[in-house]
Amino acid sequence: MNRKGIAGIIGCIIILTATACRDEVSDLLKGKWQLKTIEQGASVSRVDTVWYNFQSESLFMYQIYDRQSNDYKSQYGYKTQPDAHTLHLEMFSYSRPVQDFLPLTDWPEKERLFTVEKIDGKHLVLKVDGITYTFDRF
């Protein structure tokens, strides 16, 4: 077999492996995850009122329990995974404008590109802009 043939086979293996890893992460994400901590530098904040719900291959819901109104607020969005270690989330206006929901969150904009640091059946760690979000499966 010549070098082109070997390079082609290696390329196919890499693409299949990356796709399989991304699908595995997508499968592990399905369900409801409760945010437990937010770490930024030396500061660690405990959280127990935020959930990310990954409902399908492409949808997610950001859910917050608002203690002041004693009510749950939520915003739907899209989920895409460019690769196994990247998670792109984008909120969209459905029942309320995204601009009305953002002040309830720490998101500066309607979309974020997270790095998936860890995921297993019980724990999820996402990182963006030097902030680490640690979730437990709910």
Side-chain angles (χ1 to χ4, degrees):
M1 185 176 289
N2 64 23
R3 287 184 185 190
K4 274 187 167 181
I6 293 172
I9 290 171
I10 291 172
C12 288
I13 291 170
I14 290 171
I15 289 170
L16 289 173
T17 303
T19 302
C21 290
R22 184 178 63 225
D23 291 344
E24 181 180 322
V25 169
S26 184
D27 287 344
L28 287 171
L29 274 174
K30 285 182 185 171
K32 190 170 190 172
W33 296 88
Q34 184 176 23
L35 182 60
K36 301 306 266 181
T37 61
I38 300 173
E39 299 175 47
Q40 189 168 15
S43 174
V44 178
S45 301
R46 298 227 177 268
V47 182
D48 65 354
T49 57
V50 174
W51 295 265
Y52 285 15
N53 301 297
F54 298 101
Q55 301 171 0
S56 70
E57 292 296 317
S58 60
L59 293 177
F60 91 101
M61 180 176 64
Y62 190 126
Q63 186 177 31
I64 299 172
Y65 177 70
D66 184 359
R67 293 178 200 260
Q68 291 180 341
S69 66
N70 194 31
D71 192 22
Y72 288 91
K73 298 183 180 356
S74 58
Q75 195 75 27
Y76 287 93
Y78 296 111
K79 169 189 79 112
T80 56
Q81 289 181 258
D83 60 54
H85 301 290
T86 308
L87 179 62
H88 179 254
L89 300 179
E90 180 177 358
M91 291 185 223
F92 62 83
S93 297
Y94 177 66
S95 59
R96 80 168 53 85
V98 172
Q99 294 78 6
D100 294 349
F101 188 76
L102 283 176
L104 302 173
T105 75
D106 69 338
W107 286 31
E109 300 175 36
K110 69 177 187 171
E111 59 186 294
R112 294 199 101 172
L113 186 63
F114 293 97
T115 300
V116 179
E117 294 284 315
K118 175 184 177 182
I119 187 165
D120 60 30
K122 296 181 180 184
H123 305 285
L124 170 64
V125 179
L126 301 176
K127 197 168 195 170
V128 64
D129 300 328
I131 304 169
T132 302
Y133 298 89
T134 304
F135 297 81
D136 285 346
R137 186 174 292 281
F138 188 73

